[in-house]
Structure formats: C-alpha cells, structure tokens
Amino acid sequence: MHPSNGDKSPFSLKAVCGVLYQKGLISKAQAQQVLTKGVMLQKKRERDAEGKGAHTSSGGPASEGFADVDLLVSLNLERADNPALKLDEDAVYEALAAAWKIPYRKIDPLKLDLNLVTTTIPRTFAMRHLVLPIGVKDGALTVATPDPFNMEALEDIARASLMKVHPVVSPKRDIVKLIGEFFGFKRSISQAEIQFAGPVVDLGNLEQYVKLRSSDELPATDQHIVNAVNYLFTYAFEQRASDIHIEPKRKVSKVRMRIDGVLHNVYDLPKTVHSAIVSRIKTLSRMDMAEKRRPQDGRIKMDKGDVEVEIRVSTIPVAFGEKLVLRIMDPDILFQDLDHLGFSSTDLIRYNHFINMPHGIVLVCGPTGSGKSTTLYSTLRTISSPEVNVTTVEDPIEMVHESFNQIGVQPMAGVTFSSILRNILRQDPDIIMIGEMRDLETAENAVQAALTGHLVLSTLHTNDAASAITRLLDLGVPPFLIQSTLIGVLGQRLVRKICIHCQETFEMDSSELREMGLDPGREGRIALKRGKGCLKCRGTGFLGRTAVYEVLPCTEAIKKQIVSNADLNTIQSMAKREGMVTLRENAVRKMLAGETTYQEVLRVTWEQG
C-alpha cells in the first residue's frame, strides 16, 4: 500500500504525473508543464503545513489531499493517447486505480440503493472522508472513494456496518455530487415521512376505506416536498429522460424514468409522501388539487440551463391512487435542423420538395413514440418566416413556439380538430398543422384547406407510408380528393444509436443477415458495430436515438392506383418501383454505416411485401 502523507503521497503531482505518463495519457513535456505549474501550490501547502504543525493522518479534511489532482484536471490537457479527448477526472482516477491495483468504479446513480447509501454512515462522515457505500455482495460492503488508502475511515465503516469493506476508486467530483444529492433527497423524503407519520391505510381508488384526515396532513408547500420534487426534475434533466412516471403501489410509490425509449426504475418512495408529491406537481401545473377521481392535464415551464423546457403533466386514477406521467419537452430535441434528424440525402431532397409546395397535404406516419412531433416541429421551424402565417391545432400543445399560432383542442369548449379548421381558414393561414387526422370530418376539412390553397401538415397512426393512403380511403375520403391534394407521405421510426464511448467492431457473414431478413447488398463478411456497454450508456450499448424514414411521393403512377382503389400491396410495390427506399432498407444502411445494430433494425422495422 502507498503511504498517504508527505512527499510520497499517491496524490502528489509527481506521483500522479508519473502514473499518467506511464499509462501514456500525458507526454513528458505535459508532465513537466504540470509539475512547473504545481510548484507554487506545493510550496504554499508546505508553508501551511509548517504553520499548523505535523500533518495528521489521511482522515483530515477531504479537500486537502486532492488539491494536486484538482489542479491537474483544471488544466484541461489534451490526452497524449487521443488528442480529441481531454484529460478529465474520470481518466485520471481510472489510471490511478489501475496503478494501485484497486478496482475502478464509475457510479451509475440509477443503480444505487437510496437506503444503503444514506443509512450506513452519516452524511457528515461521508463528506469528511469522501466515502460512499454503493453495494453489498456476499456479505461484504463495497465503498467508493477517491482515496482508498484512508484506512481509518474504512475501518470505521467496517465497525459500524459489521461487514467486511471492499474499497473501489471513484472520481472525487462524482462522490461529492452523489453525497449531496442522495443525502439531500433522502433527508427531504425522511422528514416528509416523519411529518406524516401515523397509522395509514391507503387503498387509493381500488377499495373504499373511511379515514378521517388529520389536521396536520402534509401540505404540498412543505419545504421537504418542494426539495424532493425539484431534485426529481434536476435528476431527470441530467439523465436525459423523456418521461417521469410516478406510480402508486400498495406500500410504495415507484418513480421510473424513460431514457432513450426504455423505462428505468429510479426510486421507491414511501407511500405516505405520494399524495404530497402529486399535490406539489399539480400545484406547479395549475391542476385542481381536490379532484382525484378524474384524469387531468397540465403543463409546467422550467429552466434547464440556458433553455426553457416544457413539461406536460398527465394524471390518471389507478388502483392505489393517482398516477402521474410527466413528458419532458426539450426544445433542443423538438426543434432541430432537418438534416440532423436522420434523413438520407435523397429522402431529404424529396421531403424538402414536399414542404416547399404552395398547397396540398403532407402526412407524417408512425406509431406513438416514433418521433413524429420532432419531425413536424422541426419542419415548421424550417419553413416558418415573417412572410408566412403558420397555424397549428394540437391535442395538447406540446411545445409553445412564438413563431407559430398554436391552438389547443378543448372538446368541452367545442374546440375540436374538425370544428376549429373552419375558423382557421378565416384567419388567413399559409401553413396549417393538424395534430392528428382522427376522423372523416377532420380529413375532409384538411382536404378543403388544401384545395383552397393552403399547405397542410398532419399525422396518421399507421405502420408505414403506403398504409396512410389506404387509411384515408378507409376513413371515407373520396379517392379523387386524395389524388388532387396529397403531395406525399413520410413514414418513420426511432432506432437507438450505438454509444460512441464503448463501440466496437465485429464481423458477420452476409448469409446470416439475409436469414434474418436484412439484405446488406453485398456478399462475404460484413463489418458491423455494437456497444460493449459503459456507464455513459448505462450498460445498454446505446446512447441517443435517430430517426429512420421512408418517403413516398404521390406521383402520377401512385395517383392512378389511388383512383382505381388499389390495395396496400399494389401501392407499396408501385412506390418501390418509383424509387421509394423502405424503412427497413434505410435502417440497414444506418446499420452498415455503424450508427445502429442489426437487433435494433429488426426491432423497429419489418419485411414488406
């Protein structure tokens, strides 16, 4: 073991630079530069140490021992092994852990047990020694720390927990952040639970139970509840979550977050604080707090760094209370340049041709969660200008944008997709976006708007582009009206992108891919990519999503098929002959380009006849 004090400290600049140079992370010149810059700091610390007397053991104030590492990280050096990357705290501690032959662990907050972290040791002890209990395995407690040589603290934890302690090395910044977040959130929840303590029988909406409400029931304005809800929002933003689910169960309240299309369990909260958290979110979203039997919708506007994020809130009564789902509408995702969405170059040219037509209907198709809103909002932002009047009808308005005139559907007030379209035509619009074509009346009004010289954008819930035409026919729109107004149809899906931090290359035989229904277009071995799984992608191998499109222009040949009431397969075959690249073919191209995996292609697309 390395000593942890004096010049031989494993955290001295000389020792750390030696390890980084040995691992190839910094050059000799960079090491010299760091040591030179650190001389003043070293001398100052020596003077301070002389003034205070002999240096105590490593159990002293946590910040002192890491000043050299902090200095090194603050220099923001380029890595010698990869100049595209910066020498950050993660890389430094990973290299040190390897040199010390102690496991390195980058902590995933989603996988931490809130109770284990916060009940094993007090917050003051954790912050003083920078130690964080992160797991129990085979009767041994794993403790993350940037200083695995602080034997005094590790022995104290072993005595307190009555378990053997295994240290792992984690970056100091992560430990400090997690101690603050976890202990702060836990304290808020615990204090709230104490305030609402007492015998509780809450069967929610499932069964009737008569219980007199106590006068000191926890209010939604309680500071601990405010802190807990704020923490949930901050955490969701950090984790890139698109949705937060707060679900009441018989004994707990589950919090889950959807990240890259997949739900992750985050916390199990005490059931006693569920109603207070729901009330707090209802207050923020201007809902009726007293109404617990009817579904409600609301919205919250919130700051996320430099941008304003809109959060759409939906409540619904379930068996054990009210379930909340919060959809996070991030303008950075909803409003993008069209060439960043995932179009191939040919499809982008075709789609741009659609949206620059003076009048007609453009349809965007796909199931729920396929990115239709992002495509439509990005399209409207692209074509909106001071010279055009853009009006939208949405249910509900997903993201407020001042360049558009946005109308929210309100059936109780008589504002529906179909009824409002007649009023919109008196508002001198150039471009109309209809959230969804749900019925014949809406479709007929959209057709009338297109016939009278307006560009109409809308969505349909169909599996592919060709199905949109047959859906319009099924709704009862006459074929000759579809023929004269439809410009084109866009079908889309979202595929997860391979994580750039842990991607690796492997080979598959083209015959294997063909057996699965994926035609790579060439013979022999095919080089593909996949993600090994790392902390940045939560071990999934995927980070972020991109869209896969198919663009069906309504050509003369397609129009003839519409008028002759052709079936889906005939329209599909004609579209392919006209040059349409299907969803699966475009997804296979992304797979061959190393953007996604063959498993994702199979998951979101299918073979078309």
Side-chain angles (χ1 to χ4, degrees):
M1 279 284 181
H2 295 262
S4 54
N5 58 351
D7 291 336
K8 294 181 180 177
S9 164
F11 299 103
S12 71
L13 268 183
K14 193 171 182 181
V16 174
C17 285
V19 169
L20 296 177
Y21 175 67
Q22 205 174 13
K23 299 282 178 189
L25 295 177
I26 59 173
S27 64
K28 195 169 257 186
Q30 285 175 315
Q32 195 56 52
Q33 175 194 350
V34 172
L35 290 169
T36 304
K37 287 196 176 186
V39 164
M40 295 300 294
L41 180 67
Q42 294 275 28
K43 286 181 178 176
K44 182 179 180 298
R45 287 225 314 277
E46 283 168 13
R47 284 198 301 272
D48 290 346
E50 283 170 14
K52 290 177 184 176
H55 184 62
T56 56
S57 72
S58 62
S63 57
E64 286 182 15
F66 304 102
D68 287 338
V69 178
D70 293 344
L71 170 72
L72 179 64
V73 172
S74 70
L75 295 176
N76 211 22
L77 299 171
E78 288 182 354
R79 281 174 53 164
D81 59 338
N82 186 351
L85 298 176
K86 296 292 184 185
L87 187 66
D88 58 10
E89 200 172 323
D90 294 342
V92 172
Y93 279 100
E94 191 169 3
L96 290 173
W100 299 333
K101 295 185 171 52
I102 296 172
Y104 173 78
R105 182 79 60 86
K106 179 76 174 164
I107 305 167
D108 182 353
L110 287 183
K111 292 179 181 168
L112 284 183
D113 181 341
L114 183 69
N115 286 324
L116 175 74
V117 171
T118 54
T119 57
T120 309
I121 54 175
R123 178 194 179 116
T124 49
F125 182 89
M127 193 57 93
R128 189 187 317 127
H129 297 287
L130 294 182
V131 286
L132 194 72
I134 59 171
V136 176
K137 190 175 181 183
D138 301 329
L141 181 69
T142 303
V143 175
T145 175
D147 181 6
F149 310 116
N150 188 348
M151 300 314 298
E152 185 183 328
L154 296 176
E155 285 164 8
D156 285 346
I157 295 171
R159 280 194 295 272
S161 64
L162 301 176
M163 282 188 276
K164 193 174 179 182
V165 170
H166 290 160
V168 293
V169 176
S170 290
K172 182 189 118 182
R173 181 194 60 230
D174 289 4
I175 298 291
V176 171
K177 183 169 178 284
L178 286 167
I179 290 171
E181 287 181 352
F182 270 72
F183 280 90
F185 182 65
K186 176 67 175 179
R187 187 168 64 241
S188 295
I189 293 296
S190 299
Q191 290 299 317
E193 193 177 11
I194 289 164
Q195 280 178 252
F196 197 36
V200 174
V201 181
D202 183 7
L203 300 176
N205 297 302
L206 188 64
E207 296 145 333
Q208 187 67 26
Y209 186 86
V210 178
K211 177 165 87 77
L212 293 174
R213 295 284 181 190
S214 60
S215 58
D216 61 347
E217 182 171 332
L218 192 63
T221 52
D222 179 83
Q223 193 58 46
H224 302 301
I225 290 297
V226 171
N227 290 341
V229 171
N230 288 350
Y231 172 75
L232 284 177
F233 283 131
T234 307
Y235 192 69
F237 295 154
E238 284 178 2
Q239 301 298 323
R240 302 177 302 105
S242 60
D243 301 83
I244 307 171
H245 292 236
I246 302 173
E247 306 169 348
K249 303 299 179 189
R250 190 178 288 274
K251 294 182 179 175
V252 295
S253 177
K254 282 193 174 297
V255 179
R256 298 195 290 169
M257 292 183 186
R258 190 178 295 279
I259 302 164
D260 288 339
V262 179
L263 275 171
H264 296 262
N265 274 322
V266 180
Y267 298 119
D268 283 353
L269 301 177
K271 183 66 183 292
T272 48
V273 302
H274 175 80
S275 60
I277 284 178
V278 169
S279 296
R280 172 63 183 163
I281 294 171
K282 279 183 170 182
T283 305
L284 291 172
S285 52
R286 296 181 180 177
M287 291 184 191
D288 181 356
M289 283 205 298
E291 181 56 75
K292 300 187 179 186
R293 297 167 302 167
R294 279 192 302 113
Q296 294 188 67
D297 291 302
R299 59 196 317 119
I300 305 168
K301 208 171 185 74
M302 195 167 282
D303 279 337
K304 175 193 163 193
D306 298 330
V307 295
E308 281 188 342
V309 174
E310 293 215 18
I311 299 166
R312 219 170 70 197
V313 184
S314 168
T315 72
I316 198 161
V318 294
F320 296 107
E322 281 184 287
K323 178 185 172 181
L324 260 71
V325 175
L326 297 91
R327 166 69 56 91
I328 298 168
M329 300 291 174
D330 190 335
D332 290 339
I333 293 169
L334 276 174
F335 298 105
Q336 298 184 49
D337 292 334
L338 290 180
D339 52 359
H340 292 162
L341 292 179
F343 283 101
S344 67
S345 53
T346 310
D347 285 345
L348 183 58
I349 291 167
R350 284 180 173 172
Y351 185 62
N352 271 319
H353 175 68
F354 291 177
I355 62 177
N356 285 298
M357 295 291 279
H359 55 82
I361 296 175
V362 178
L363 294 175
V364 180
C365 303
T368 303
S370 59
K372 298 189 298 295
S373 295
T374 298
T375 300
L376 280 174
Y377 274 128
S378 299
T379 300
L380 288 176
R381 196 188 70 165
T382 301
I383 58 180
S384 70
S385 70
E387 291 81 39
V388 295
N389 175 12
V390 178
T391 305
T392 75
V393 193
E394 304 169 62
D395 182 19
I397 296 170
E398 296 200 6
M399 187 76 185
V400 176
H401 194 286
E402 60 185 27
S403 300
F404 319 145
N405 301 293
Q406 293 168 282
I407 302 162
V409 168
Q410 299 176 62
M412 300 291 286
V415 179
T416 63
F417 280 122
S418 52
S419 67
I420 197 67
L421 272 172
R422 290 190 292 275
N423 303 95
I424 287 174
L425 292 177
R426 301 186 198 114
Q427 290 280 317
D428 186 29
D430 296 292
I431 298 160
I432 302 169
M433 192 271 270
I434 303 167
E436 188 185 342
M437 282 200 196
R438 295 178 178 172
D439 50 43
L440 176 59
E441 194 180 354
T442 307
E444 282 177 340
N445 282 308
V447 166
Q448 287 304 315
L451 286 171
T452 51
H454 305 92
L455 180 65
V456 179
L457 305 175
S458 188
T459 69
L460 271 177
H461 286 277
T462 60
N463 286 329
D464 53 36
S467 301
I469 295 171
T470 55
R471 174 63 59 84
L472 288 176
L473 292 167
D474 290 343
L475 284 174
V477 182
F480 72 91
L481 287 178
I482 300 174
Q483 178 201 34
S484 55
T485 56
L486 190 64
I487 299 169
V489 186
L490 186 73
Q492 71 176 89
R493 289 291 186 283
L494 289 177
V495 292
R496 289 183 290 172
K497 291 194 290 187
I498 296 168
C499 174
I500 56 170
H501 302 284
C502 63
Q503 64 182 12
E504 63 177 4
T505 305
F506 70 104
E507 288 190 346
M508 281 184 77
D509 199 272
S510 57
S511 59
E512 290 180 71
L513 291 168
R514 280 198 184 84
E515 280 173 22
M516 291 185 281
L518 306 178
D519 183 6
R522 53 181 187 264
E523 298 298 326
R525 304 290 289 172
I526 308 287
L528 301 174
K529 286 186 178 176
R530 64 188 170 202
K532 287 184 284 189
C534 63
L535 185 86
K536 284 189 167 62
C537 63
R538 264 174 243 314
T540 59
F542 297 102
L543 187 64
R545 292 187 290 178
T546 185
V548 179
Y549 294 99
E550 63 180 14
V551 181
L552 190 160
C554 199
T555 60
E556 288 305 317
I558 297 289
K559 286 177 181 177
K560 284 177 185 171
Q561 299 297 330
I562 294 171
V563 173
S564 62
N565 272 313
D567 63 12
L568 176 62
N569 288 337
T570 308
I571 294 172
Q572 186 82 43
S573 301
M574 178 59 70
K576 285 185 186 176
R577 284 202 295 277
E578 294 273 305
M580 182 184 82
V581 182
T582 65
L583 281 166
R584 171 157 283 192
E585 288 164 351
N586 269 325
V588 167
R589 289 179 183 180
K590 286 191 185 291
M591 174 190 78
L592 296 173
E595 288 184 55
T596 192
T597 64
Y598 71 86
Q599 292 96 332
E600 275 293 285
V601 174
L602 291 168
R603 183 177 71 86
V604 302
T605 67
W606 62 98
E607 275 198 286
Q608 297 167 325

